[in-house]
Amino acid sequence: MKRACSPEPSPEHELNKEMSLNEQHPILLSLNAPVSPPLKRASIKRAKDGGDAIPLTTSQLNISSSLAAIEAGQVEVTDPLTTISTKLKECVRPLPNQPIPRLPIKEWVELYRRNEHPEGRHFVIHQHDHPIAGPHYDLRLQFSETSSVSWSVMYGMPGDPNSQRLNRNATETRIHCLWNHLIETASHKTGSLIIWDTGEYEILPYQMDPSGPETDDSRSEISEDSQGPPEEQISDSAKLREAFQNRKIRLRLHGTRLPKDYTIILRMDKSTDFARPIREGPKRRRRHPSRRTVPQAPSTSDSESPSPRNNQESRGDATPPRSQSEFQTGPAKHAHVGNTHTADLEIQRNNAYPGSSNMIGSIHQRRWYLSLDRESSGFEPTMVRGNESEGKTRKRTWTPKPVGKGFEPFYVHGPEAERSLITARLGVDVLDDEGVEEFVPRRGWRPVLH
């Protein structure tokens, strides 16, 4: 019986095969990696040493490389704005029947580029549907060329001047990189992240002028009527750094979704103005207390004494054999754990993720109070007739000022209803685009509708 043999490949065939392999670009799969918080320093070190990261240019990125991989540091990009905007263009959804605010990709890119300098004043509000912390809204304000300070607001921005729950708890989080303002992505561990609103902020004096609140129109009239020499202009990012040190920030957000003259006040709870202690050593697993042994009956000559192994099985507390790795106590066992803990420890000490700098003095998990500045937002108090059955003949309410001031009340309805300002996607759409299946969100979140 003759065996079939394959013909020897020709030199031209080998050359063409080698050229085709060189022309292929690396294909990256969607990674199950944390999205927010961003990459830790240990992963960055591996990327610089040529470890797990695959450096790619913008032209080499394809649709299979997910934004979660870019956020997690598995893919190095030299131009985050171009890379992320290119990816988001592929994910834009058509507008639904109901009108929703939308910021075109071109204007969104121009907004980011004109703030890429030390005095930039870019802001973003991310809707983050976290599987453990639950839905919340991250307010991030740029204070330098590369970094932004961040607060986590549970129920989003207040939009009703007559709401019974006008205030919000805002928890201070880590310092983020400025390019994190561009991210929309998802993973199993951190849920979905969409851009709820973005734009530029303005810092107003915390003490209100007795002549009246400052608005965009009044500020333009003052600048036209002033005849004196122009004073030295102080950037809003410098004002933010100063107001942050005073623990009182009066902030106007010029966004797309938020109405005109929308102004909020951030005040820090002084009882939380301290840094929490940092755990120096790695966490140890808590062992369960040993079960009490059942006393055995004395053995007789007629009964056979059971072996220790059978005795354990009869009590039901047999201990499985320990693997060889459990007996290792040297560096081989704890090398990976030690590197991860060192990276976490450095992030906790600096309260800043890799690539950002905590020059503003942010402290993790300080509690702030966020409230709507109703008068600066264009409302004025008026007395109206109250409910006589409740014993209130007159009550105070806030109504829009004349000449087109104020705005219609709005409410934040959460991940099931809120869409991205850039791509018009829901949170479930982002999960689907990133290939995240069987995501289990945290239940119990309710919007503030009164």
Side-chain angles (χ1 to χ4, degrees), residues 67 84-85 88 101-103 105 108 111-112 122-128 137-138 140 178-185 192-199 256-257 418-427 430:
L67 289 178
I84 297 174
S85 61
L88 291 186
R102 182 75 168 270
L103 182 62
I105 295 286
W108 175 62
L111 169 68
Y112 184 85
H122 193 275
F123 88 88
V124 69
I125 300 175
H126 271 127
Q127 176 185 273
H128 190 182
Y137 293 79
D138 296 317
R140 297 186 175 119
L178 181 62
W179 65 267
N180 285 110
H181 290 201
L182 307 171
I183 284 294
E184 276 194 7
T185 186
S192 62
L193 195 74
I194 67 170
I195 298 176
W196 190 82
D197 199 6
T198 186
T256 302
R257 187 188 298 265
E418 301 293 334
R419 292 183 177 269
S420 166
L421 181 72
I422 310 302
T423 61
R425 294 185 294 177
L426 294 170
V430 182

Side-chain angles (χ1 to χ4, degrees), residues 177-227:
C177 295
L178 181 62
W179 65 267
N180 285 110
H181 290 201
L182 307 171
I183 284 294
E184 276 194 7
T185 186
S187 73
H188 279 97
K189 294 183 179 180
T190 57
S192 62
L193 195 74
I194 67 170
I195 298 176
W196 190 82
D197 199 6
T198 186
E200 295 174 329
Y201 68 85
E202 178 185 359
I203 301 298
L204 304 179
Y206 188 78
Q207 298 295 336
M208 188 176 297
D209 189 354
S211 60
E214 183 181 6
T215 61
D216 294 338
D217 298 334
S218 63
R219 186 170 56 257
S220 61
E221 293 174 359
I222 294 175
S223 61
E224 293 176 359
D225 297 339
S226 60
Q227 299 178 357

Side-chain angles (χ1 to χ4, degrees), residues 11-45:
E12 292 80 7
H13 177 73
E14 292 292 337
L15 180 60
N16 295 334
K17 182 179 180 181
E18 182 178 357
M19 292 177 60
S20 62
L21 291 176
N22 292 334
E23 292 176 356
Q24 291 181 358
H25 300 305
I27 299 178
L28 303 177
L29 300 178
S30 179
L31 301 176
N32 182 16
V35 179
S36 177
L39 173 66
K40 299 178 181 179
R41 294 188 182 274
S43 301
I44 284 187
K45 184 177 180 181

Side-chain angles (χ1 to χ4, degrees), residues 233-378:
Q233 296 292 334
I234 302 177
S235 64
D236 285 286
S237 59
K239 294 179 181 178
L240 173 62
R241 293 190 292 268
E242 181 180 358
F244 188 86
Q245 300 303 323
N246 295 331
R247 277 61 171 162
K248 296 178 181 179
I249 306 173
R250 191 156 161 255
L251 180 70
R252 175 165 292 164
L253 300 176
H254 301 280
T256 302
R257 187 188 298 265
L258 294 173
K260 181 182 177 182
D261 291 337
Y262 183 82
T263 308
I264 58 175
I265 293 177
L266 281 164
R267 298 176 294 106
M268 195 193 68
D269 183 3
K270 295 182 180 180
S271 63
T272 62
D273 191 8
F274 61 90
R276 288 167 173 77
I278 300 175
R279 183 188 296 271
E280 295 292 340
K283 293 183 179 180
R284 296 183 178 181
R285 296 181 60 183
R286 181 178 298 178
R287 296 183 178 181
H288 296 285
S290 59
R291 300 178 181 178
R292 292 182 301 177
T293 58
V294 180
Q296 299 292 326
S299 59
T300 60
S301 58
D302 297 336
S303 62
E304 183 179 358
S305 60
S307 63
R309 181 176 180 179
N310 294 334
N311 191 17
Q312 290 180 355
E313 293 177 355
S314 63
R315 293 198 308 265
D317 58 351
T319 304
R322 300 174 64 184
S323 61
Q324 185 177 0
S325 60
E326 296 181 6
F327 291 96
Q328 297 177 356
T329 58
K333 177 183 178 182
H334 302 286
H336 177 70
V337 177
N339 293 337
T340 304
H341 176 71
T342 302
D344 293 340
L345 193 62
E346 189 172 357
I347 293 175
Q348 293 179 34
R349 287 173 177 171
N350 300 327
N351 194 35
Y353 291 119
S356 61
S357 178
N358 189 4
M359 300 184 302
I360 201 171
S362 174
I363 298 178
H364 188 52
Q365 289 188 346
R366 285 192 300 191
R367 184 169 63 246
W368 294 62
Y369 298 112
L370 186 150
S371 60
L372 176 66
D373 189 347
R374 294 176 285 194
E375 193 167 354
S376 298
S377 298

Side-chain angles (χ1 to χ4, degrees), residues 59-124:
S59 60
Q60 291 176 318
L61 288 171
N62 49 51
I63 194 170
S64 61
S65 58
S66 65
L67 289 178
I70 299 174
E71 177 75 7
Q74 301 293 340
V75 178
E76 288 184 291
V77 292
T78 57
D79 187 359
L81 176 60
T82 304
T83 302
I84 297 174
S85 61
T86 302
K87 297 294 296 181
L88 291 186
K89 285 181 182 178
E90 304 170 355
C91 304
V92 174
R93 297 292 197 275
L95 291 175
N97 296 329
Q98 66 272 19
I100 62 172
R102 182 75 168 270
L103 182 62
I105 295 286
K106 183 179 179 180
E107 298 181 12
W108 175 62
V109 170
E110 293 176 354
L111 169 68
Y112 184 85
R113 281 179 175 169
R114 68 170 177 259
N115 288 282
E116 287 185 300
H117 55 85
E119 304 302 330
R121 54 191 185 104
H122 193 275
F123 88 88
V124 69

